[in-house]
Amino acid sequence: MSLIVHKYGGTSMGSVERIKNVARRVAKWHAAGHQVVVVPSAMAGETNRLLGLARELAPQPDGRELDMVAATGEQASSALLAIALQAEGVAARSYTGWQVPVRTDSSYTKARITSIEDTRIRADLDAGKVVVVTGFQGIDDEGHITTLGRGGSDTSAVAVAAAIKADECLIFTDVDGVYTTDPRVVPEARRMAVISFEEMLEMASLGSKVLQIRSVEFAGKYRVPTRVLSSLTDPLIPLDDEMRSGTLITFEEDEKMEAAVVSGIAFSRDEAKITLLGVPDKPGIAYSILGPVAAANIDVDMIVQNQSVAGTTDFSFTVNRNEFQRTVDVLKRDVIPAVQARELVTDEKVAKVSIVGIGMRSHVGVASLMFQTLSADNINIQMISTSEIKTSVIIDDKYMELGVRALHKAFGLDQAPGTDKV
Ligand code: ADP
Ligand code: ASP
Ligand code: MG
């Protein structure tokens, strides 16, 4: 008998028929003698619908109230799944984040899980029940409902798996694993049977929405064996086949069979670029600009400061497009008057494209092939950032898909492993 956490995303929970299929799949695992905790997302489109309603009422709604409304999507789908399981003859009970409780900090709309109480879950599992825990939500120390950021049900699932020391966390979704890039953009993308934890972390942090970044962080911190697999197969496929399907995140580099230099390409349209022209080039300037931004709880991604000319310089950085307006407001109020910048220039239509691979550590020329490939398609690179295992560029978002397809081909990702181009 194993203790398994299943997570089902929005598409997987997207209709009555799909919820029935989830219940059949969970019932199969339960009947095979496993203890199962299920973490569902809201039904497809529901979170967008709810947040859309709020934004029709106010351009920048209060975070606490946004979380109150957004959390209802998961509450509904969890109860519906418990009902579907009961209809399958499986004893099941659903809990909201605050009932478990899943404790978080108070950063509304992007809260972080701080702890998960496992008493109720364990008692129900020991009584032979399937436990359904809402994804995406928690409760802060003051008793306010919080949500974990878009895609946050992945994080709920892996965090629950860590808290109850599950044997495995299975992330069921609408693709059958992690691909070399989003198969919706590049149909030639290939599924990886395994991906190293570090690569998955980079892919997720650079925009691959298949897993929320914090879920990968939890998987790494607590060594939770995590697998991404399809919920759209026959729900009654044999357990052994299901347990071998999809993509396993591995913590052992040696286990990684496909030792490509570049393993995957991630991209994100959620970017906005902000430049302050003509700021004095003196000690403390980065802090004067980014300090107030950080104090407003806005994450800054890429940062570039230009060469100084006549004592002044230009300072550019990127933020999530959702936080663009708030960032501009902070700059106008707290930064521009203080640092005496000459001009504020913004571009909301940029995208980030990144190549990722642990093989980049030991190979030179990888970034240069990236730049060459983009230049061959006449794509202008606006910003560059690198780490040991990734290179990211900011480009005009209208060229994003073109760039991703060209890079996928240039690095041989559409071919069988072992055919590296570098
Ligand atoms: P869920 O609702 O199950 O959480 P998501 O839409 O959040 O599903 O994530 C699955 C989607 O992630 C896929 O449909 C796919 O378009 C996208 N995706 C992006 N990058 C990748 C990748 N490298 N491999 C697989 N899927 C990816
Ligand atoms: N329902 C939430 C969202 O749409 C959480 C999730 O699906 O993981 O972002
Ligand atoms: Mg998701």
Side-chain angles (χ1 to χ4, degrees), residues 197-247:
F197 160 70
E198 283 173 285
E199 286 169 333
M200 191 65 244
L201 196 63
E202 287 286 6
M203 292 280 280
S205 81
L206 297 167
S208 285
K209 296 208 165 105
V210 62
L211 284 179
Q212 200 202 34
I213 169 80
R214 286 181 192 160
S215 69
V216 188
E217 288 168 357
F218 266 105
K221 185 161 175 200
Y222 297 99
R223 287 287 191 266
V224 181
T226 302
R227 184 179 290 277
V228 177
L229 68 174
S230 175
S231 72
L232 304 178
T233 54
D234 173 359
L236 301 183
I237 67 164
L239 271 193
D240 283 353
D241 292 348
E242 190 151 63
M243 282 162 99
R244 280 195 300 268
S245 68
T247 301

Side-chain angles (χ1 to χ4, degrees), residues 32-350:
H34 300 295
Q35 291 187 315
V36 190
V37 177
V38 192
V39 178
S41 293
M43 294 173 74
E46 181 62 5
T47 310
N48 283 346
R49 187 183 75 84
L50 293 165
L51 295 176
L53 290 173
R55 295 210 168 93
E56 276 182 46
L57 294 164
Q60 288 189 62
D62 174 51
R64 180 187 181 279
E65 303 310 326
L66 273 179
D67 281 359
M68 280 288 278
V69 68
T72 63
E74 269 71 11
Q75 180 168 341
S77 63
S78 294
L80 291 172
L81 180 57
I83 291 168
L85 282 162
Q86 290 163 4
E88 284 289 318
V90 177
R93 183 176 264 179
S94 67
Y95 292 105
T96 60
W98 55 268
Q99 286 173 317
V100 171
V102 175
R103 295 201 183 282
T104 72
D105 64 19
S106 303
S107 303
Y108 298 120
T109 75
K110 52 177 183 184
R112 285 180 177 271
I113 295 177
T114 50
S115 67
I116 296 180
E117 174 67 50
D118 66 351
T119 323
R120 270 183 151 168
I121 298 177
R122 281 197 185 281
D124 280 346
L125 289 174
D126 291 345
K129 293 193 179 93
V130 167
V131 182
V132 184
V133 175
T134 47
F136 187 48
Q137 55 171 272
I139 186 166
D140 75 1
D141 286 346
E142 310 281 307
H144 303 300
I145 289 174
T146 55
T147 67
L148 309 179
R150 300 306 305 268
S153 297
D154 298 329
T155 303
S156 309
V158 181
V160 165
I164 63 174
K165 302 191 175 56
D167 296 293
E168 195 158 346
C169 182
L170 303 180
I171 308 277
F172 288 92
T173 182
D174 58 2
V175 273
D176 62 352
V178 180
Y179 279 65
T180 46
T181 193
D182 189 340
R184 284 182 216 232
V185 170
V186 183
E188 297 78 25
R190 285 183 309 105
R191 181 176 64 82
M192 295 178 251
V194 288
I195 182 168
S196 74
F197 160 70
E198 283 173 285
E199 286 169 333
M200 191 65 244
L201 196 63
E202 287 286 6
M203 292 280 280
S205 81
L206 297 167
S208 285
K209 296 208 165 105
V210 62
L211 284 179
Q212 200 202 34
I213 169 80
R214 286 181 192 160
S215 69
V216 188
E217 288 168 357
F218 266 105
K221 185 161 175 200
Y222 297 99
R223 287 287 191 266
V224 181
T226 302
R227 184 179 290 277
V228 177
L229 68 174
S230 175
S231 72
L232 304 178
T233 54
D234 173 359
L236 301 183
I237 67 164
L239 271 193
D240 283 353
D241 292 348
E242 190 151 63
M243 282 162 99
R244 280 195 300 268
S245 68
T247 301
L248 179 70
I249 300 173
T250 167
F251 303 103
E252 309 292 330
E253 267 182 38
D254 295 352
E255 272 180 29
K256 201 173 166 279
M257 310 306 290
E258 305 180 18
V261 175
V262 170
S263 301
I265 299 178
F267 52 84
S268 161
R269 269 205 186 83
D270 304 336
E271 310 284 323
K273 189 173 93 171
I274 294 173
T275 303
L276 286 175
L277 295 176
V279 293
D281 190 12
K282 59 178 192 198
I285 195 68
Y287 177 62
S288 311
I289 296 171
L290 297 180
V293 175
N297 202 11
I298 296 168
D299 291 325
V300 169
D301 183 11
M302 264 192 228
I303 304 168
V304 171
Q305 183 177 330
N306 276 354
Q307 177 85 15
S308 169
V309 177
T312 64
T313 183
D314 303 334
F315 192 95
S316 296
F317 60 97
T318 59
V319 294
N320 191 293
R321 224 176 262 183
N322 283 334
E323 309 212 282
F324 171 72
Q325 197 48 54
R326 237 162 40 86
T327 313
V328 168
D329 292 347
V330 168
L331 291 176
K332 285 189 173 158
R333 192 188 60 223
D334 299 335
V335 176
I336 294 174
V339 303
Q340 310 239 298
R342 190 177 71 240
E343 200 181 335
L344 173 70
V345 181
T346 60
D347 188 352
E348 267 189 280
K349 294 216 156 46
V350 293

